[in-house]
Amino acid sequence: MNYQLNINWPDFIKNYWQKRPLLIKQGFTNFIDPISANDLAGLAMEDEVDSRLVSFQNGSWNVTHGPFDSYDQLAKTGWSLLVQAVNHWHYPSTALIAPFRVLSDWRIDDLMVSYSVPAGGVGPHIDQYDVFIIQGLGRRHWRVGEKIALKQHCPHPDLLQVEPFAAIIDKQLEPGDILYIPPGFPHEGYSIETSLNYSVGFRSPTSRELFSSFADYLIANDLGNYHYSDPDIATRDNPAMILPTELTEIQHIMQQLLAQPHIFNHWFGTFISQSRHELDIAPPEPSYTVEQVIQLLCQGNTLYKLNGLRTLNVADQYFVNGEQLISPKLNITAINILCEKQEIHADMLGNALNDKDFMQLVTKLINDGYWYFND
């Protein structure tokens, strides 16, 4: 499926991105759901898939986490099934991510899909990331409020909701409509009828995540073993006092590590190219040889990138799922094609098929389960 998004990107970024919510009527015209409710329910039965059921019955909220073995006990109203990273497990659903890649792969997180019966929802809440909510099957009523301070509470240990708010958007969404919500804007949605919703979420790491990951990287790579030194130490009347110049030197030691591009760029590439959700990695058995890979491509076979695989370019270094691509001599044009495209054909690679180093790298990636032929 080739989804064409009806949006003026320059205008959207200038006026709405991380600024204001926006309802895009018929963002996708003649919208067709990429997944059925039955297939979504089947995914939620798998151990590797992150899923949950959220229900509101008899004035009480409840959350149950998958995998699920049956749905027979569910009521006819008041519940939603939410499945994370559906694009990792269901190939047709990856097509819904493609129109949003204008905003950069490193910021896109995953595609969450929810199936809701009438009155199903998760209550009023606030997210700290950008999200495009695409209406599929059925209709859903959405309310979005201003970005103001609101009291939060937990009606269930796994649910964080906010107090009632005045709406600046109060609309019913129909198939193909898209609701964009920036971080910090309260919102709530309830199904009017049985419906499917698709949420394209954007990754927004916190400073705590970044510092924690950077510290782990330094330890794992035995970096940053600089000792504090003070050859011109100042004496002081109060031995309990730490002088401002000493604090500045401590900050300088830490900032020095962040300021070294070869350390910072490599760390960020390994960090940001890792998926936050499981990948359906299945290395081929037996492994492919370089000759077999070339032959299959030349015979017209398509090489597919693993669903949800993060392939990123950081300062002319290439990273795949937390690993840097290393080759004696990188074929930059071919590597860019490999990282950018979801499907690879022989004519896209051109002379790179004769590049021994490149084809050895491609074969290794296939044998690692990151790219595959659809046998």
Side-chain angles (χ1 to χ4, degrees):
M1 185 67 64
N2 183 17
Y3 293 98
Q4 298 296 319
L5 180 57
N6 300 316
I7 189 171
N8 182 321
W9 280 116
D11 177 74
F12 172 79
I13 292 171
K14 178 182 178 181
N15 296 301
Y16 297 100
W17 175 253
Q18 297 209 329
K19 304 172 188 71
R20 302 291 298 170
L22 175 67
L23 173 59
I24 309 169
K25 291 295 293 181
Q26 289 303 285
F28 292 118
T29 55
N30 301 316
F31 184 80
I32 298 174
D33 290 283
I35 190 170
S36 68
N38 284 340
D39 286 345
L40 186 70
L43 282 180
M45 292 180 166
E46 301 293 334
D47 290 337
E48 300 85 358
V49 178
D50 183 5
S51 61
R52 57 186 172 134
L53 273 166
V54 179
S55 63
F56 185 69
Q57 305 289 337
N58 302 318
S60 178
W61 288 95
N62 188 48
V63 179
T64 308
H65 293 273
F68 302 101
D69 54 18
S70 173
Y71 303 99
D72 296 338
Q73 78 284 4
L74 295 174
K76 292 183 179 181
T77 61
W79 59 266
S80 294
L81 172 66
L82 302 96
V83 184
Q84 294 288 155
V86 171
N87 57 306
H88 290 202
W89 305 96
H90 185 260
Y91 187 80
S93 295
T94 63
L96 267 185
I97 296 283
F100 300 95
R101 294 183 67 196
V102 172
L103 300 174
S104 177
D105 285 349
W106 86 265
R107 288 284 273 114
I108 295 176
D109 192 5
D110 75 322
L111 178 72
M112 184 190 77
V113 182
S114 63
Y115 171 80
S116 301
V117 296
V122 298
H125 64 284
I126 294 174
D127 294 319
Q128 296 304 327
Y129 53 83
D130 300 89
V131 63
F132 291 87
I133 302 172
I134 304 158
Q135 182 65 43
L137 170 76
R139 293 178 301 146
R140 195 173 178 92
H141 185 186
W142 282 96
R143 299 178 68 254
V144 184
E146 280 287 5
K147 188 176 182 179
I148 59 174
L150 292 170
K151 291 182 179 179
Q152 301 189 51
H153 62 281
C154 292
H156 182 278
D158 290 336
L159 279 181
L160 181 61
Q161 297 181 352
V162 296
E163 61 183 321
F165 57 84
I168 56 175
I169 293 178
D170 191 345
K171 297 289 184 180
Q172 290 184 19
L173 268 64
E174 298 178 336
D177 292 344
I178 302 174
L179 179 62
Y180 165 70
I181 306 175
F185 285 80
H187 53 281
E188 61 177 336
Y190 293 96
S191 282
I192 299 169
E193 56 197 24
T194 298
S195 64
L196 283 167
N197 281 92
Y198 306 86
S199 298
V200 180
F202 284 75
R203 190 169 184 173
S204 180
T206 64
S207 55
R208 181 167 58 187
E209 284 181 89
L210 295 173
F211 276 111
S212 176
S213 173
F214 189 64
D216 290 342
Y217 177 85
L218 295 179
I219 294 169
N221 292 277
D222 196 25
L223 298 170
N225 292 315
Y226 313 134
H227 284 277
Y228 173 84
S229 65
D230 47 7
D232 299 316
I233 188 171
T235 58
R236 64 211 74 191
D237 294 332
N238 181 354
M241 179 180 291
I242 299 174
L243 300 178
T245 54
E246 294 169 329
L247 289 174
T248 299
E249 180 59 24
I250 292 293
Q251 288 178 329
H252 179 66
I253 289 174
M254 301 178 72
Q255 290 166 350
Q256 270 189 314
L257 285 168
L258 291 170
Q260 296 182 52
H262 68 284
I263 292 178
F264 182 84
N265 293 340
H266 190 267
W267 156 71
F268 189 66
T270 58
F271 165 72
I272 205 64
S273 64
Q274 294 179 60
S275 172
R276 296 194 307 113
H277 304 280
E278 289 283 341
L279 293 169
D280 189 16
I281 299 175
E285 294 182 3
S287 297
Y288 288 95
T289 65
V290 173
E291 292 73 22
Q292 287 174 323
V293 171
I294 295 173
Q295 183 180 32
L296 285 167
L297 285 168
C298 290
Q299 289 174 346
N301 289 278
T302 301
L303 184 62
Y304 296 90
K305 184 193 297 183
L306 183 70
N307 295 359
L309 186 70
R310 298 175 70 82
T311 55
L312 301 171
N313 178 348
V314 181
D316 294 327
Q317 300 176 63
Y318 295 84
F319 296 86
V320 173
N321 197 33
E323 303 174 29
Q324 184 181 0
L325 297 184
I326 302 294
S327 180
K329 186 179 180 181
L330 284 177
N331 186 319
I332 300 301
T333 301
I335 289 290
N336 276 322
I337 292 171
L338 192 69
C339 291
E340 177 188 353
K341 305 298 183 181
Q342 192 69 28
E343 301 178 6
I344 301 292
H345 307 281
D347 59 351
M348 298 167 66
L349 298 177
N351 292 333
L353 287 172
N354 301 317
D355 185 328
K356 180 181 177 181
D357 292 332
F358 174 73
M359 292 311 301
Q360 285 180 337
L361 176 61
V362 171
T363 303
K364 178 183 182 302
L365 292 169
I366 294 172
N367 289 332
D368 287 340
Y370 293 151
W371 274 262
Y372 64 94
F373 291 106
N374 198 8
D375 298 330

